[in-house]
Amino acid sequence: MRIMKKQKIINFFVTYIVTCSVFIGFCNTSVTFGKEKADKAAEKPVAKEISSQADVSDQHPEIEEGLSCNDCHEIKLDAATTATQVWLYGGYLKWNAGEGIMPQDKIWQHIVTLLGGAKQKRTFVLATALNNKPFTTTVDASLDPDKKVLYVYSEKGTSKLDHIKNNSSVSLNWHKEFKDFSQILCLQVVGKAELFEGTAKEYNEGLLTYEFEYAAAARKMSVEQWKTMMKQNMIMQKITIREVTFIDSSLRGTDYRSQQRWKRQ
Ligand code: HEC
């Protein structure tokens, strides 16, 4: 009886000590764990914003193949000294800085004159990008001058649609073949593209602007027949324009520079 009691007391202490040391050990590891985590965070170098002119130095962390600078860094474009900025706003040729810049609404009107409105088309080069690899295709687009969007309809299954699905940033270029410096006309668009299937209500909205009737005529189909086929086989790209920059040498001799830029507010 006495022995039993002694044994019980010993058992109790053994259990107590083991439990306590496990607990203390646990506390210890979690403290160490937390500290390691904090140390790691403090050590990890941050990729700061860099200028578009920046170069990597010998001390730069190794860059794995396939990564580009903007996978880690935000890249700021120099807003004051790049050539385009000077042509648009700086001291250039006969212009003093800040002179010869069209008001934004006038720039937009000029863009509409160049591109035409509903049921007119321009053939653009469209640039998309996937995994840092740019890709260009040729597209016909019609402009909605009020919404300031471009509509494009293209066959299902093409690479550009895959690109846009993964990266909605697009850029388009429309230009006249260069002849001489007195007849330059080119226009760059930057925007975001959205894709719509034939069943979407936006699809019909786009068809009010996009010139597709010619294609029905070319196929000797009625407009309604062709529309049905388009809805089955084509995807609409609605490109919301963010910025347009043009060079139009026909503006020479006016109160305005031949380079102008419109930006969505
Ligand atoms: C994998 C991510 C990664 C990529 C890709 C990368 N960098 Fe870096 N870069 C870093 C990190 C992280 C630092 C900070 C290093 C440090 O502080 O020790 C850094 C630092 C720099 C710096 C010094 C920044 C400063 O303090 O002014 C420059 C300049 C730079 N990078 C340029 C580039 C350029 C140019 C490219 C593309 C050719 C590039 N980096 C690609 C991660 C990257």
Side-chain angles (χ1 to χ4, degrees), residues 45-51 53-57 59-64 67-73:
V46 234
K48 295 184 196 133
E49 211 180 50
I50 56 168
S51 100
Q53 317 285 318
D55 274 325
V56 285
S57 67
Q59 278 86 52
H60 193 279
E62 199 178 322
I63 302 174
E64 259 177 68
L67 285 185
S68 77
C69 313
N70 74 334
D71 286 322
C72 301
H73 296 279

PDB file of all heavy atoms in Angstrom, residues 45-51 53-57 59-64 67-73, ligand 1:
ATOM      1  N   PRO A  45      16.390  41.214 -50.062  1.00  0.00           N
ATOM      2  CA  PRO A  45      16.487  42.522 -50.708  1.00  0.00           C
ATOM      3  C   PRO A  45      15.231  42.808 -51.531  1.00  0.00           C
ATOM      4  O   PRO A  45      14.627  41.896 -52.066  1.00  0.00           O
ATOM      5  CB  PRO A  45      17.703  42.379 -51.628  1.00  0.00           C
ATOM      6  CG  PRO A  45      17.878  40.919 -51.846  1.00  0.00           C
ATOM      7  CD  PRO A  45      17.219  40.200 -50.718  1.00  0.00           C
ATOM      8  N   VAL A  46      14.857  44.074 -51.547  1.00  0.00           N
ATOM      9  CA  VAL A  46      13.662  44.448 -52.313  1.00  0.00           C
ATOM     10  C   VAL A  46      14.070  45.038 -53.647  1.00  0.00           C
ATOM     11  O   VAL A  46      15.044  45.801 -53.725  1.00  0.00           O
ATOM     12  CB  VAL A  46      12.828  45.539 -51.584  1.00  0.00           C
ATOM     13  CG1 VAL A  46      11.395  45.080 -51.432  1.00  0.00           C
ATOM     14  CG2 VAL A  46      13.436  45.930 -50.257  1.00  0.00           C
ATOM     15  N   ALA A  47      13.336  44.690 -54.661  1.00  0.00           N
ATOM     16  CA  ALA A  47      13.582  45.265 -55.977  1.00  0.00           C
ATOM     17  C   ALA A  47      12.814  46.573 -56.047  1.00  0.00           C
ATOM     18  O   ALA A  47      11.600  46.583 -56.060  1.00  0.00           O
ATOM     19  CB  ALA A  47      13.129  44.296 -57.058  1.00  0.00           C
ATOM     20  N   LYS A  48      13.550  47.675 -56.069  1.00  0.00           N
ATOM     21  CA  LYS A  48      12.899  48.989 -56.055  1.00  0.00           C
ATOM     22  C   LYS A  48      12.534  49.415 -57.465  1.00  0.00           C
ATOM     23  O   LYS A  48      12.907  48.767 -58.430  1.00  0.00           O
ATOM     24  CB  LYS A  48      13.858  50.028 -55.464  1.00  0.00           C
ATOM     25  CG  LYS A  48      14.168  49.773 -54.012  1.00  0.00           C
ATOM     26  CD  LYS A  48      15.040  50.911 -53.484  1.00  0.00           C
ATOM     27  CE  LYS A  48      15.692  50.523 -52.184  1.00  0.00           C
ATOM     28  NZ  LYS A  48      17.120  50.844 -52.135  1.00  0.00           N
ATOM     29  N   GLU A  49      11.852  50.550 -57.550  1.00  0.00           N
ATOM     30  CA  GLU A  49      11.530  51.126 -58.852  1.00  0.00           C
ATOM     31  C   GLU A  49      12.832  51.508 -59.564  1.00  0.00           C
ATOM     32  O   GLU A  49      13.738  52.038 -58.934  1.00  0.00           O
ATOM     33  CB  GLU A  49      10.708  52.395 -58.583  1.00  0.00           C
ATOM     34  CG  GLU A  49       9.717  52.703 -59.647  1.00  0.00           C
ATOM     35  CD  GLU A  49       8.936  53.976 -59.334  1.00  0.00           C
ATOM     36  OE1 GLU A  49       9.554  55.008 -59.011  1.00  0.00           O
ATOM     37  OE2 GLU A  49       7.701  53.918 -59.444  1.00  0.00           O
ATOM     38  N   ILE A  50      12.947  51.194 -60.846  1.00  0.00           N
ATOM     39  CA  ILE A  50      14.158  51.600 -61.578  1.00  0.00           C
ATOM     40  C   ILE A  50      13.751  52.404 -62.809  1.00  0.00           C
ATOM     41  O   ILE A  50      12.608  52.321 -63.251  1.00  0.00           O
ATOM     42  CB  ILE A  50      15.016  50.378 -62.029  1.00  0.00           C
ATOM     43  CG1 ILE A  50      14.198  49.401 -62.875  1.00  0.00           C
ATOM     44  CG2 ILE A  50      15.632  49.675 -60.838  1.00  0.00           C
ATOM     45  CD1 ILE A  50      15.025  48.338 -63.576  1.00  0.00           C
ATOM     46  N   SER A  51      14.692  53.157 -63.363  1.00  0.00           N
ATOM     47  CA  SER A  51      14.375  53.922 -64.569  1.00  0.00           C
ATOM     48  C   SER A  51      14.523  53.006 -65.780  1.00  0.00           C
ATOM     49  O   SER A  51      15.201  51.978 -65.714  1.00  0.00           O
ATOM     50  CB  SER A  51      15.299  55.135 -64.699  1.00  0.00           C
ATOM     51  OG  SER A  51      16.326  54.873 -65.615  1.00  0.00           O
ATOM     52  N   GLN A  53      16.224  53.378 -68.176  1.00  0.00           N
ATOM     53  CA  GLN A  53      17.613  53.413 -68.659  1.00  0.00           C
ATOM     54  C   GLN A  53      18.547  52.565 -67.786  1.00  0.00           C
ATOM     55  O   GLN A  53      19.719  52.423 -68.104  1.00  0.00           O
ATOM     56  CB  GLN A  53      18.164  54.858 -68.614  1.00  0.00           C
ATOM     57  CG  GLN A  53      17.208  55.933 -69.095  1.00  0.00           C
ATOM     58  CD  GLN A  53      17.077  55.923 -70.596  1.00  0.00           C
ATOM     59  OE1 GLN A  53      18.053  55.770 -71.306  1.00  0.00           O
ATOM     60  NE2 GLN A  53      15.851  56.050 -71.081  1.00  0.00           N
ATOM     61  N   ALA A  54      18.021  52.041 -66.668  1.00  0.00           N
ATOM     62  CA  ALA A  54      18.888  51.376 -65.680  1.00  0.00           C
ATOM     63  C   ALA A  54      19.590  50.147 -66.242  1.00  0.00           C
ATOM     64  O   ALA A  54      19.056  49.441 -67.099  1.00  0.00           O
ATOM     65  CB  ALA A  54      18.065  50.980 -64.458  1.00  0.00           C
ATOM     66  N   ASP A  55      20.796  49.913 -65.751  1.00  0.00           N
ATOM     67  CA  ASP A  55      21.552  48.713 -66.117  1.00  0.00           C
ATOM     68  C   ASP A  55      21.820  47.896 -64.867  1.00  0.00           C
ATOM     69  O   ASP A  55      21.862  48.443 -63.768  1.00  0.00           O
ATOM     70  CB  ASP A  55      22.913  49.123 -66.712  1.00  0.00           C
ATOM     71  CG  ASP A  55      22.782  49.385 -68.200  1.00  0.00           C
ATOM     72  OD1 ASP A  55      21.985  48.689 -68.849  1.00  0.00           O
ATOM     73  OD2 ASP A  55      23.477  50.304 -68.691  1.00  0.00           O
ATOM     74  N   VAL A  56      22.055  46.598 -65.042  1.00  0.00           N
ATOM     75  CA  VAL A  56      22.391  45.783 -63.875  1.00  0.00           C
ATOM     76  C   VAL A  56      23.891  45.904 -63.601  1.00  0.00           C
ATOM     77  O   VAL A  56      24.697  45.947 -64.517  1.00  0.00           O
ATOM     78  CB  VAL A  56      22.024  44.287 -64.070  1.00  0.00           C
ATOM     79  CG1 VAL A  56      20.543  44.076 -63.945  1.00  0.00           C
ATOM     80  CG2 VAL A  56      22.522  43.760 -65.400  1.00  0.00           C
ATOM     81  N   SER A  57      24.229  45.959 -62.303  1.00  0.00           N
ATOM     82  CA  SER A  57      25.641  46.029 -61.927  1.00  0.00           C
ATOM     83  C   SER A  57      26.154  44.619 -61.632  1.00  0.00           C
ATOM     84  O   SER A  57      25.384  43.663 -61.660  1.00  0.00           O
ATOM     85  CB  SER A  57      25.796  46.914 -60.693  1.00  0.00           C
ATOM     86  OG  SER A  57      25.170  46.273 -59.598  1.00  0.00           O
ATOM     87  N   GLN A  59      26.957  43.518 -58.803  1.00  0.00           N
ATOM     88  CA  GLN A  59      26.396  43.053 -57.529  1.00  0.00           C
ATOM     89  C   GLN A  59      24.941  42.598 -57.662  1.00  0.00           C
ATOM     90  O   GLN A  59      24.345  42.128 -56.709  1.00  0.00           O
ATOM     91  CB  GLN A  59      26.448  44.176 -56.475  1.00  0.00           C
ATOM     92  CG  GLN A  59      27.787  44.323 -55.799  1.00  0.00           C
ATOM     93  CD  GLN A  59      28.698  45.230 -56.617  1.00  0.00           C
ATOM     94  OE1 GLN A  59      28.312  46.334 -56.979  1.00  0.00           O
ATOM     95  NE2 GLN A  59      29.907  44.776 -56.928  1.00  0.00           N
ATOM     96  N   HIS A  60      24.380  42.768 -58.813  1.00  0.00           N
ATOM     97  CA  HIS A  60      22.951  42.465 -58.970  1.00  0.00           C
ATOM     98  C   HIS A  60      22.676  40.978 -58.713  1.00  0.00           C
ATOM     99  O   HIS A  60      23.455  40.136 -59.137  1.00  0.00           O
ATOM    100  CB  HIS A  60      22.486  42.843 -60.376  1.00  0.00           C
ATOM    101  CG  HIS A  60      21.000  42.860 -60.502  1.00  0.00           C
ATOM    102  ND1 HIS A  60      20.248  41.731 -60.694  1.00  0.00           N
ATOM    103  CD2 HIS A  60      20.110  43.885 -60.421  1.00  0.00           C
ATOM    104  CE1 HIS A  60      18.977  42.053 -60.739  1.00  0.00           C
ATOM    105  NE2 HIS A  60      18.858  43.363 -60.573  1.00  0.00           N
ATOM    106  N   PRO A  61      21.570  40.675 -57.997  1.00  0.00           N
ATOM    107  CA  PRO A  61      21.216  39.254 -57.809  1.00  0.00           C
ATOM    108  C   PRO A  61      21.069  38.571 -59.180  1.00  0.00           C
ATOM    109  O   PRO A  61      20.691  39.225 -60.148  1.00  0.00           O
ATOM    110  CB  PRO A  61      19.855  39.308 -57.102  1.00  0.00           C
ATOM    111  CG  PRO A  61      19.669  40.702 -56.625  1.00  0.00           C
ATOM    112  CD  PRO A  61      20.575  41.584 -57.419  1.00  0.00           C
ATOM    113  N   GLU A  62      21.369  37.293 -59.181  1.00  0.00           N
ATOM    114  CA  GLU A  62      21.329  36.548 -60.449  1.00  0.00           C
ATOM    115  C   GLU A  62      19.924  36.598 -61.055  1.00  0.00           C
ATOM    116  O   GLU A  62      18.939  36.465 -60.346  1.00  0.00           O
ATOM    117  CB  GLU A  62      21.719  35.100 -60.175  1.00  0.00           C
ATOM    118  CG  GLU A  62      22.154  34.392 -61.434  1.00  0.00           C
ATOM    119  CD  GLU A  62      22.578  32.958 -61.150  1.00  0.00           C
ATOM    120  OE1 GLU A  62      23.204  32.731 -60.087  1.00  0.00           O
ATOM    121  OE2 GLU A  62      22.268  32.098 -61.980  1.00  0.00           O
ATOM    122  N   ILE A  63      19.859  36.795 -62.354  1.00  0.00           N
ATOM    123  CA  ILE A  63      18.559  36.837 -63.033  1.00  0.00           C
ATOM    124  C   ILE A  63      18.382  35.540 -63.814  1.00  0.00           C
ATOM    125  O   ILE A  63      19.158  35.236 -64.708  1.00  0.00           O
ATOM    126  CB  ILE A  63      18.461  38.044 -63.997  1.00  0.00           C
ATOM    127  CG1 ILE A  63      18.686  39.355 -63.240  1.00  0.00           C
ATOM    128  CG2 ILE A  63      17.100  38.065 -64.690  1.00  0.00           C
ATOM    129  CD1 ILE A  63      18.763  40.583 -64.123  1.00  0.00           C
ATOM    130  N   GLU A  64      17.370  34.796 -63.410  1.00  0.00           N
ATOM    131  CA  GLU A  64      17.093  33.525 -64.097  1.00  0.00           C
ATOM    132  C   GLU A  64      16.673  33.780 -65.535  1.00  0.00           C
ATOM    133  O   GLU A  64      16.036  34.791 -65.823  1.00  0.00           O
ATOM    134  CB  GLU A  64      15.907  32.851 -63.402  1.00  0.00           C
ATOM    135  CG  GLU A  64      16.285  31.745 -62.461  1.00  0.00           C
ATOM    136  CD  GLU A  64      15.045  31.194 -61.785  1.00  0.00           C
ATOM    137  OE1 GLU A  64      14.227  30.576 -62.475  1.00  0.00           O
ATOM    138  OE2 GLU A  64      14.900  31.454 -60.572  1.00  0.00           O
ATOM    139  N   LEU A  67      13.291  35.658 -67.185  1.00  0.00           N
ATOM    140  CA  LEU A  67      12.738  36.770 -66.399  1.00  0.00           C
ATOM    141  C   LEU A  67      13.174  38.085 -67.029  1.00  0.00           C
ATOM    142  O   LEU A  67      14.285  38.207 -67.530  1.00  0.00           O
ATOM    143  CB  LEU A  67      13.255  36.722 -64.964  1.00  0.00           C
ATOM    144  CG  LEU A  67      12.651  35.668 -64.042  1.00  0.00           C
ATOM    145  CD1 LEU A  67      13.187  35.838 -62.635  1.00  0.00           C
ATOM    146  CD2 LEU A  67      11.126  35.759 -64.031  1.00  0.00           C
ATOM    147  N   SER A  68      12.280  39.062 -66.997  1.00  0.00           N
ATOM    148  CA  SER A  68      12.691  40.368 -67.499  1.00  0.00           C
ATOM    149  C   SER A  68      12.666  41.349 -66.333  1.00  0.00           C
ATOM    150  O   SER A  68      12.119  41.050 -65.278  1.00  0.00           O
ATOM    151  CB  SER A  68      11.770  40.814 -68.626  1.00  0.00           C
ATOM    152  OG  SER A  68      10.569  41.267 -68.089  1.00  0.00           O
ATOM    153  N   CYS A  69      13.270  42.520 -66.540  1.00  0.00           N
ATOM    154  CA  CYS A  69      13.426  43.483 -65.449  1.00  0.00           C
ATOM    155  C   CYS A  69      12.092  43.766 -64.747  1.00  0.00           C
ATOM    156  O   CYS A  69      12.035  43.838 -63.526  1.00  0.00           O
ATOM    157  CB  CYS A  69      13.999  44.796 -65.970  1.00  0.00           C
ATOM    158  SG  CYS A  69      15.425  44.576 -67.043  1.00  0.00           S
ATOM    159  N   ASN A  70      11.024  43.900 -65.534  1.00  0.00           N
ATOM    160  CA  ASN A  70       9.770  44.308 -64.890  1.00  0.00           C
ATOM    161  C   ASN A  70       9.038  43.156 -64.205  1.00  0.00           C
ATOM    162  O   ASN A  70       7.960  43.345 -63.652  1.00  0.00           O
ATOM    163  CB  ASN A  70       8.868  45.070 -65.864  1.00  0.00           C
ATOM    164  CG  ASN A  70       8.224  44.172 -66.883  1.00  0.00           C
ATOM    165  OD1 ASN A  70       8.762  43.106 -67.198  1.00  0.00           O
ATOM    166  ND2 ASN A  70       7.092  44.569 -67.396  1.00  0.00           N
ATOM    167  N   ASP A  71       9.607  41.941 -64.219  1.00  0.00           N
ATOM    168  CA  ASP A  71       9.029  40.883 -63.382  1.00  0.00           C
ATOM    169  C   ASP A  71       9.296  41.181 -61.915  1.00  0.00           C
ATOM    170  O   ASP A  71       8.574  40.717 -61.040  1.00  0.00           O
ATOM    171  CB  ASP A  71       9.623  39.516 -63.744  1.00  0.00           C
ATOM    172  CG  ASP A  71       9.061  39.003 -65.062  1.00  0.00           C
ATOM    173  OD1 ASP A  71       7.868  39.222 -65.302  1.00  0.00           O
ATOM    174  OD2 ASP A  71       9.821  38.405 -65.831  1.00  0.00           O
ATOM    175  N   CYS A  72      10.377  41.908 -61.632  1.00  0.00           N
ATOM    176  CA  CYS A  72      10.715  42.228 -60.244  1.00  0.00           C
ATOM    177  C   CYS A  72      10.627  43.727 -59.943  1.00  0.00           C
ATOM    178  O   CYS A  72      10.264  44.104 -58.848  1.00  0.00           O
ATOM    179  CB  CYS A  72      12.119  41.754 -59.921  1.00  0.00           C
ATOM    180  SG  CYS A  72      12.356  39.992 -60.155  1.00  0.00           S
ATOM    181  N   HIS A  73      11.009  44.545 -60.912  1.00  0.00           N
ATOM    182  CA  HIS A  73      11.030  46.002 -60.680  1.00  0.00           C
ATOM    183  C   HIS A  73       9.849  46.682 -61.352  1.00  0.00           C
ATOM    184  O   HIS A  73       9.458  46.281 -62.443  1.00  0.00           O
ATOM    185  CB  HIS A  73      12.286  46.631 -61.306  1.00  0.00           C
ATOM    186  CG  HIS A  73      13.569  46.189 -60.711  1.00  0.00           C
ATOM    187  ND1 HIS A  73      14.076  46.717 -59.550  1.00  0.00           N
ATOM    188  CD2 HIS A  73      14.463  45.257 -61.120  1.00  0.00           C
ATOM    189  CE1 HIS A  73      15.228  46.144 -59.279  1.00  0.00           C
ATOM    190  NE2 HIS A  73      15.491  45.240 -60.205  1.00  0.00           N
TER     191      HIS A  73
HETATM  192  C1  HEC B   1      14.429  38.260 -59.976  1.00  0.00           C
HETATM  193  C2  HEC B   1      14.123  39.648 -59.711  1.00  0.00           C
HETATM  194  C3  HEC B   1      14.919  40.711 -60.425  1.00  0.00           C
HETATM  195  C4  HEC B   1      15.048  40.875 -61.775  1.00  0.00           C
HETATM  196  C5  HEC B   1      14.486  40.012 -62.870  1.00  0.00           C
HETATM  197  C6  HEC B   1      15.825  42.074 -61.954  1.00  0.00           C
HETATM  198  N1  HEC B   1      16.143  42.607 -60.747  1.00  0.00           N
HETATM  199 FE1  HEC B   1      17.186  44.305 -60.435  1.00  0.00          FE
HETATM  200  N2  HEC B   1      17.130  43.992 -58.444  1.00  0.00           N
HETATM  201  C7  HEC B   1      16.477  42.955 -57.829  1.00  0.00           C
HETATM  202  C8  HEC B   1      16.673  43.053 -56.397  1.00  0.00           C
HETATM  203  C9  HEC B   1      16.090  42.105 -55.355  1.00  0.00           C
HETATM  204  C10 HEC B   1      17.477  44.195 -56.181  1.00  0.00           C
HETATM  205  C11 HEC B   1      17.969  44.738 -54.858  1.00  0.00           C
HETATM  206  C12 HEC B   1      19.330  44.143 -54.613  1.00  0.00           C
HETATM  207  C13 HEC B   1      19.953  44.564 -53.301  1.00  0.00           C
HETATM  208  O1  HEC B   1      19.514  45.556 -52.717  1.00  0.00           O
HETATM  209  O2  HEC B   1      20.895  43.869 -52.912  1.00  0.00           O
HETATM  210  C14 HEC B   1      17.745  44.756 -57.483  1.00  0.00           C
HETATM  211  C15 HEC B   1      18.493  45.895 -57.695  1.00  0.00           C
HETATM  212  C16 HEC B   1      18.613  46.533 -58.908  1.00  0.00           C
HETATM  213  C17 HEC B   1      19.222  47.810 -59.121  1.00  0.00           C
HETATM  214  C18 HEC B   1      19.774  48.702 -58.034  1.00  0.00           C
HETATM  215  C19 HEC B   1      18.572  49.476 -57.575  1.00  0.00           C
HETATM  216  C20 HEC B   1      18.906  50.728 -56.893  1.00  0.00           C
HETATM  217  O3  HEC B   1      19.016  50.680 -55.685  1.00  0.00           O
HETATM  218  O4  HEC B   1      19.042  51.710 -57.632  1.00  0.00           O
HETATM  219  C21 HEC B   1      19.156  48.097 -60.450  1.00  0.00           C
HETATM  220  C22 HEC B   1      19.634  49.359 -61.141  1.00  0.00           C
HETATM  221  C23 HEC B   1      18.513  46.983 -61.069  1.00  0.00           C
HETATM  222  N3  HEC B   1      18.194  46.053 -60.127  1.00  0.00           N
HETATM  223  C24 HEC B   1      18.263  46.890 -62.421  1.00  0.00           C
HETATM  224  C25 HEC B   1      17.703  45.795 -63.046  1.00  0.00           C
HETATM  225  C26 HEC B   1      17.558  45.659 -64.466  1.00  0.00           C
HETATM  226  C27 HEC B   1      17.968  46.702 -65.497  1.00  0.00           C
HETATM  227  C28 HEC B   1      16.980  44.446 -64.687  1.00  0.00           C
HETATM  228  C29 HEC B   1      16.663  43.809 -66.020  1.00  0.00           C
HETATM  229  C30 HEC B   1      17.778  43.609 -66.919  1.00  0.00           C
HETATM  230  C31 HEC B   1      16.752  43.830 -63.382  1.00  0.00           C
HETATM  231  N4  HEC B   1      17.207  44.676 -62.417  1.00  0.00           N
HETATM  232  C32 HEC B   1      16.147  42.600 -63.190  1.00  0.00           C
HETATM  233  C33 HEC B   1      15.719  41.978 -58.433  1.00  0.00           C
HETATM  234  C34 HEC B   1      15.619  41.796 -59.791  1.00  0.00           C
END
